[in-house]
Amino acid sequence: MSNTDNAVTGTTPAASPGSSAPEAPRPSRRSRWDATDLALIAVFAAIVAGSALIAAIPVGGLGVPITLQTLAVMLTGLALGPGRAFAAVGLYLLLGFAGLPIFSGGRSGLGVLAGPSAGYIFGFLLAATAVGALTVVVLRRTAARSAKLRAVLLFSAAMVSSIVFVHGLGILGMMLNAKLSLSAAFLADLAFYPGDVIKNILAVTVALTLHKAFPDLLIRRVRRFHLAGEADGRA
């Protein structure tokens, strides 16, 4: 059979005597998002938007309420990984800046950037991306470890991401827009810590359930990229 016949039929020619066996196909890295990825980005953007409007509890006199957004943002990163989490939270922000009333308290538009909660809003985007990246590392390193260890590490990743980005930028936003001192902004931000611990526990619990029920959501994706990386390293 000629090479042309092989190309048409999709068969691989057998190795001739003395020649090496045909090389097995390598796992390839996915370079594009498919329709499922885009749908997940839209769904999680909607979840983040809805969480901003549910059970908003005002704290202090700055107008920065306690909402379920940290839960939704962390769940987005834990469930989708860094790239899709960045896209989902970024889509939420773009829609809010464009005029949809999906920020806390039903606010919208670029005017929120002048308020004391501006730092928290940008912190959500970075925190979702960071916890998504850390989740990929945890899933890869705990593939043969206990589920309890994985849960502890994911909770630690969520807490570190929220402390560094959500609380860190939140404090900075209050200092810039509310003209608070560092100590006053830090004390104002402390009110959000107890709720964030609980929300991160819930986010990790839900994310682990999703990973178990839908391994294609992230676990198999991480495995494919890991195998592709090993193949590239051996090339």
Side-chain angles (χ1 to χ4, degrees):
M1 183 180 290
S2 67
N3 291 336
T4 303
D5 294 334
N6 290 329
V8 172
T9 60
T11 59
T12 303
S16 59
S19 65
S20 59
E23 186 178 347
R26 294 175 182 170
S28 60
R29 295 175 182 268
R30 292 179 59 185
S31 58
R32 300 177 186 174
W33 287 329
D34 57 22
T36 300
D37 293 321
L38 297 178
L40 286 170
I41 289 168
V43 167
F44 276 85
I47 291 174
V48 175
S51 68
L53 306 176
I54 298 174
I57 303 173
V59 176
L62 293 177
V64 182
I66 295 176
T67 68
L68 296 179
Q69 271 189 296
T70 308
L71 169 60
V73 166
M74 291 300 156
L75 176 59
T76 299
L78 290 163
L80 300 184
R84 293 176 298 173
F86 179 89
V89 179
L91 175 60
Y92 159 73
L93 295 181
L94 287 176
L95 293 175
F97 292 146
L100 290 182
I102 53 177
F103 293 134
S104 61
R107 296 172 300 157
S108 64
L110 295 175
V112 298
L113 299 181
S117 62
Y120 292 103
I121 292 174
F122 284 113
F124 292 151
L125 179 64
L126 297 179
T129 307
V131 75
L134 291 174
T135 297
V136 169
V137 175
V138 170
L139 293 179
R140 186 179 299 159
R141 298 292 179 86
T142 60
R145 303 293 185 88
S146 68
K148 185 177 295 186
L149 175 62
R150 176 175 291 186
V152 171
L153 291 177
L154 289 179
F155 172 74
S156 300
M159 284 304 304
V160 168
S161 299
S162 62
I163 289 171
V164 172
F165 294 107
V166 177
H167 293 276
L169 291 180
I171 290 172
L172 180 61
M174 288 189 285
M175 291 174 62
L176 294 176
N177 291 345
K179 308 303 180 184
L180 297 181
S181 65
L182 175 60
S183 58
F186 178 78
L187 290 175
D189 178 72
L190 284 179
F192 299 103
Y193 272 84
D196 279 359
V197 171
I198 296 172
K199 285 181 280 188
N200 281 332
I201 292 174
L202 291 174
V204 170
T205 302
V206 174
L208 288 173
T209 302
L210 290 175
H211 291 165
K212 185 176 181 179
F214 307 102
D216 283 331
L217 186 64
L218 188 59
I219 291 181
R220 288 176 181 165
R221 187 186 188 95
V222 170
R223 191 175 301 158
R224 282 197 302 269
F225 274 68
H226 181 57
L227 291 175
E230 288 184 340
D232 290 343
R234 290 193 299 267

